[in-house]
Amino acid sequence: ELLGMLSSLGTLQGRPADEVVAQAAQVLHIGDVAPGGWAVLGAVLTLYLADRPEPALAALGGVLDHAQRHGQGWTYVLGATTRALVHQFCGNLTDALADAQYSFDVIMQERWAPGTAMPQTVLASLLVRQGDPAGAEETLAAIARPRFGDFTLEYHWSLIAKARARAALGDVEGALAVLRTCGESLTGNGIGNPVLAPWWYESAELLAGLGRTAKGEAVLDEVEPAVRRWGTNRALGMLETSRGVLATGDAAIERLHAAAGLLADTPAKVELAKAEYLLGRRLLARGDAEGARERLRRSIDLSVRSRDKQQLGLSLPALAEAGGRMRHGTDSPSDALSGSERRVAERAAEGATNREIAESLFITQRTVEVHLTSVYRKLGIGGRAELAEALRDR
């Protein structure tokens, strides 16, 4: 437990990632740490923020298996929500949305919503990526946790989600105000990790769009020491992206090229797709249509694999503007499934009965029946026997 606390504390403070990762790895290798314990979840926080998603996901698998075997519904929801965070951080938005939607549905069904905020926050962030910022704001409005501002992680994550939704809805000034609140709160609480709630990264692009480059540069000057201390290629790549979006001419292209190079060596697919898009736009503005098309196609490919509809909505028109051909046929019928529908369908395809599915997911058998009926309709199949093949074809 002590190692887990030290790892989490060092992560929040923004100590060098390699140092805290070593502590987190020790936590996961100690045999007497209960799978559902806070030490494991603390280690997971460190590992995924430091771009070590594989051990983080393996540890969460242990938490979820333990919770399922012992009928611990709340722990299962917490583990699934945390797994959604890890998937989102790695750009695996399909699995992230499935876990987040499932967790949200359970807390609403069990009336746990007043005691939690993490499922609402994670789902809201993902809804923005799915092109539904209004739905994101509605989801955030469901947070009713008393003294919410006292909860370090959920509160700051919710501010990032809120700012992204505001920006997507066109309220740039409102988004910047929320991001300023986030940055000030992080500083006031002694949280120095630059990728935990990257208000500065979100702010830079918005400030650039308003022509406030000096303000943007001041924000980045303030956070750069923390970025370099944490030291991951993701953090450094995000900093280069932000510097690039505020720069002009060849300097912007050099920065964005460096950003793409750094991010390519990380699990940060969403951030890499953004850097490639921004680089493509700058190359097109310089008159290099061929170079622009190459970068924009990379952005599109990454966004398709991540199911990042928000970025696709930017990259596809930019490619057309650069004289490139838009790609079609990237959607599958199963993409329309909600997170809860997908979880139920996957278990049904494995041969589980409705009762077994209900018990494993902590929902009612009636809810399982409703989800399966919806799944059959969306996939255009006649019943359970066709599920496995339909899901494989997604």
Side-chain angles (χ1 to χ4, degrees):
E1 293 288 339
L2 179 59
L3 274 174
M5 291 175 59
L6 290 173
S7 172
S8 299
L9 180 60
T11 298
L12 293 176
Q13 292 174 335
R15 285 173 41 210
D18 288 342
E19 291 183 15
V20 291
V21 162
Q23 292 176 328
Q26 289 182 58
V27 171
L28 299 185
H29 281 92
I30 294 175
D32 60 351
V33 177
W38 287 106
V40 172
L41 293 176
V44 165
L45 175 73
T46 296
L47 290 168
Y48 90 80
L49 288 177
D51 285 327
R52 271 73 164 187
E54 292 84 3
L57 289 170
L60 286 170
V63 170
L64 291 167
D65 288 345
H66 182 271
Q68 195 171 67
R69 288 196 308 271
H70 293 82
Q72 298 170 344
W74 173 248
T75 301
Y76 192 91
V77 167
L78 180 60
T81 308
T82 306
R83 188 169 64 181
L85 277 170
V86 179
H87 283 314
Q88 179 181 229
F89 208 65
C90 297
N92 184 1
L93 303 188
T94 297
D95 286 343
L97 187 60
D99 274 334
Q101 184 70 63
Y102 160 76
S103 300
F104 179 80
D105 289 347
V106 171
I107 67 165
M108 299 305 289
Q109 175 184 295
E110 297 295 334
R111 299 179 182 175
W112 292 341
T116 185
M118 200 162 152
Q120 300 96 310
T121 296
V122 179
L123 179 58
S125 181
L126 289 162
L127 287 175
V128 175
R129 290 287 175 194
Q130 295 304 300
D132 186 12
E137 290 205 321
E138 183 179 348
T139 301
L140 289 171
I143 296 175
R145 192 169 195 173
R147 300 175 61 189
F148 182 40
D150 293 343
F151 293 86
T152 300
L153 299 179
E154 296 101 317
Y155 175 63
H156 295 102
W157 287 333
S158 75
L159 291 177
I160 295 295
K162 182 178 180 180
R164 288 172 177 167
R166 286 281 85 211
L169 289 167
D171 183 8
V172 176
E173 293 291 357
L176 284 169
V178 173
L179 291 169
R180 281 195 298 272
T181 297
C182 183
E184 291 168 0
S185 178
L186 288 167
T187 301
N189 284 280
I191 300 172
N193 191 297
V195 297
L196 177 73
W199 65 276
W200 52 275
Y201 174 74
E202 305 290 338
S203 297
E205 187 174 9
L206 297 179
L207 289 167
L210 295 173
R212 301 177 193 168
T213 55
K215 175 61 177 175
E217 291 290 354
V219 166
L220 298 183
D221 289 343
E222 177 186 340
V223 77
E224 183 166 355
V227 169
R228 299 201 176 281
R229 183 169 58 249
W230 181 244
T232 63
N233 278 356
R234 177 195 295 264
L236 295 169
M238 291 169 67
L239 179 63
E240 286 295 319
T241 300
S242 298
R243 292 289 190 191
V245 81
L246 290 164
T248 59
D250 289 345
I253 291 173
E254 290 173 7
R255 290 281 196 179
L256 292 169
H257 191 277
L262 287 164
L263 292 168
D265 293 328
T266 76
K269 298 183 185 72
V270 170
E271 289 78 8
L272 177 56
K274 178 179 178 179
E276 295 283 10
Y277 161 74
L278 292 169
L279 179 54
R281 295 290 299 179
R282 292 304 181 104
L283 289 171
L284 182 60
R286 191 174 69 176
D288 182 2
E290 182 178 353
R293 288 193 294 270
E294 178 185 352
R295 294 295 179 169
L296 292 168
R297 286 195 178 102
R298 290 183 188 179
S299 177
I300 291 166
D301 287 342
L302 287 161
S303 300
V304 167
R305 290 198 295 271
S306 296
R307 298 296 177 187
D308 187 349
K309 294 181 180 178
Q310 184 184 37
Q311 185 61 58
L312 276 174
L314 298 172
S315 299
L316 285 169
L319 178 61
E321 185 181 344
R325 298 180 63 182
M326 297 173 64
R327 299 182 179 181
H328 300 281
T330 59
D331 290 332
S332 150
S334 68
D335 294 330
L337 300 184
S338 72
S340 294
E341 288 169 347
R342 186 178 298 277
R343 288 284 175 255
V344 168
E346 288 170 349
R347 282 165 172 74
E350 293 167 357
T353 65
N354 286 4
R355 180 177 180 178
E356 290 169 340
I357 295 170
E359 290 175 352
S360 68
L361 295 179
F362 305 100
I363 56 180
T364 66
Q365 289 191 58
R366 175 57 182 159
T367 300
V368 172
E369 293 168 2
V370 170
H371 283 329
L372 285 176
T373 299
S374 179
V375 166
Y376 301 154
R377 176 179 56 80
K378 290 180 178 181
L379 297 183
I381 60 177
R384 220 179 192 94
E386 301 174 57
L387 263 178
E389 183 177 356
L391 292 175
R392 276 198 304 271
D393 291 341
R394 68 188 175 100

